[in-house]
Amino acid sequence: MDQQLQSLPTEYDRVFGDLLALAGQYHWSAALEGFTDDFYTLSCPHCGAEVTIAIGDYGYYSAIRDWDRGDIERRELLPARAEELHDPGRWMHATAVRDGQQRLAEGIRHLFGRAECPTCASAFSIADTYTSANLPPVLETS
């Protein structure tokens, strides 16, 4: 399937997502479109505040979402450096770069970077927080 991905099909995102799912990264497979332009809502692991993470066309930031005023108390995300990424982020980023998918690669660096909670000012790993909230439990078969 990786060969199909390298041929740069018009369905690049679908094939990329399929590869993630095959590797057991179901939560990343389901979030694929968000790597280039989406909003994620996470609970701050330090204070529990609901934090909006923006990645894409609207910018790269964390914020508190207010119904009337939009995203307030914005804080810029700190993207991970490519050489500091660990799997699965390392594989995702390297594959996107290899295939000339720069926008996807940039989104992945931010997604695997750090955010600051606007409520308590604590920094946290976006990927770790998203994974703990969205990775389905392992099925036990015995």
Side-chain angles (χ1 to χ4, degrees), residues 21-34:
L22 285 171
Q25 300 296 321
Y26 310 111
H27 60 303
W28 294 127
S29 175
L32 181 58
E33 291 180 44

Side-chain angles (χ1 to χ4, degrees), residues 25 27-28 31 35 40 42 45 53 55 77-78 80 85-90 92 107-115 124-135:
Q25 300 296 321
H27 60 303
W28 294 127
F35 299 162
Y40 300 90
L42 301 173
I53 305 293
I55 294 179
L77 300 180
L78 180 62
L85 287 169
H86 300 284
D87 284 331
R90 178 186 355 209
M92 293 162 64
I108 291 167
R109 285 185 55 238
H110 281 86
L111 197 61
F112 282 83
R114 299 189 64 75
F124 61 91
S125 164
I126 300 165
D128 290 348
T129 304
Y130 182 84
T131 296
S132 68
N134 292 285
L135 184 63

Side-chain angles (χ1 to χ4, degrees), residues 35-36 55-56 60 79-80 93 96-97 101-113:
F35 299 162
T36 57
I55 294 179
Y60 300 94
H93 182 266
V97 168
Q101 302 288 322
Q102 295 307 318
R103 186 168 179 226
L104 176 60
E106 186 66 14
I108 291 167
R109 285 185 55 238
H110 281 86
L111 197 61
F112 282 83

Side-chain angles (χ1 to χ4, degrees), residues 1-30:
M1 192 177 288
D2 196 42
Q3 291 174 341
Q4 182 182 7
L5 187 64
Q6 288 182 35
S7 68
L8 302 176
T10 56
E11 298 146 2
Y12 186 90
D13 289 349
R14 183 190 58 77
V15 176
F16 192 91
D18 290 349
L19 286 170
L20 287 168
L22 285 171
Q25 300 296 321
Y26 310 111
H27 60 303
W28 294 127
S29 175

Side-chain angles (χ1 to χ4, degrees), residues 24-72:
Q25 300 296 321
Y26 310 111
H27 60 303
W28 294 127
S29 175
L32 181 58
E33 291 180 44
F35 299 162
T36 57
D37 189 32
D38 206 357
F39 295 93
Y40 300 90
T41 302
L42 301 173
S43 293
C44 171
H46 303 281
C47 73
E50 189 172 281
V51 179
T52 297
I53 305 293
I55 294 179
D57 291 341
Y58 293 99
Y60 300 94
Y61 62 86
S62 61
I64 299 300
R65 181 152 286 175
D66 181 90
W67 180 260
D68 296 317
R69 299 183 301 165
D71 291 342
I72 58 172

